[in-house]
Amino acid sequence: MPDPVTLRLAGASDAAALAAFNRAMARETEGKDLLPEVVAAGVASLLAQPQYGFYVVAEAAGEVVGALLVTTEWSDWRNGLFWWIQSVYVLPGFRRRGIYRRLYQFVKERARDAGNVCGFRLYVERENAVAQQTYRSLGMSETHYRLFEEVC
């Protein structure tokens, strides 16, 4: 029987695993090799400044096997916060076991407790059909918006 998976908010001791996950996700989804020192600094900055968001980790046998990041966006239309789900990653050997589903449920429960969350958003690579199906199966739907950015 596989080890049970527990969920919790990430702490500073999870920084190395989170940075490794972010780098692995960028390689898998976009073919990008992110600079380790930049990603490590970004993870550490977020963990030290909870007003920017929080990570949730899934752990099995003392090892972090999955994670996601939540950041916020104020909606004046709804007088509430959208929680953006980002940096989703599950180790390959733990995929298709419902770990993301459990991470998402954990986030939804925290949002209910917060009382000012009006919805959840995320972005996904256009070609990542597996992830898109997962998100649909959890009740999310594709919006009519396109994402634009300018990187500084």
Side-chain angles (χ1 to χ4, degrees), residues 2-117:
D3 287 319
V5 174
T6 58
L7 303 178
R8 62 177 172 78
L9 293 177
S13 64
D14 300 306
L18 294 167
F21 285 4
N22 286 337
R23 293 189 70 229
M25 184 213 17
R27 275 192 304 275
E28 286 181 28
T29 61
E30 299 181 37
K32 292 183 179 179
D33 192 19
L34 302 178
L35 295 172
E37 62 275 10
V38 174
V39 175
V43 169
S45 289
L46 186 283
L47 290 170
Q49 299 175 86
Q51 70 271 23
Y52 292 150
F54 59 91
Y55 285 99
V56 179
V57 296
E59 197 172 48
E63 176 188 11
V64 177
V65 299
L68 61 74
L69 167 65
V70 173
T71 60
T72 63
E73 171 193 356
W74 179 253
S75 173
D76 53 351
W77 288 12
R78 293 174 179 86
N79 190 31
L81 291 170
F82 275 100
W83 278 9
W84 277 87
I85 297 171
Q86 302 179 60
S87 300
V88 174
Y89 191 77
V90 176
L91 288 174
F94 287 84
R95 292 180 185 165
R96 311 306 300 165
R97 294 189 191 180
I99 290 175
Y100 175 75
R101 176 180 299 276
R102 294 203 40 217
L103 287 165
Y104 186 56
Q105 186 61 39
F106 183 93
V107 166
K108 287 176 72 171
E109 289 168 9
R110 287 190 59 87
R112 254 192 310 275
D113 293 344
N116 62 347
V117 178

Side-chain angles (χ1 to χ4, degrees), residues 110-129:
R110 287 190 59 87
R112 254 192 310 275
D113 293 344
N116 62 347
V117 178
C118 62
F120 306 95
R121 290 181 170 163
L122 55 78
Y123 50 88
V124 60
E125 290 292 317
R126 287 186 174 103
E127 294 79 30
N128 194 340

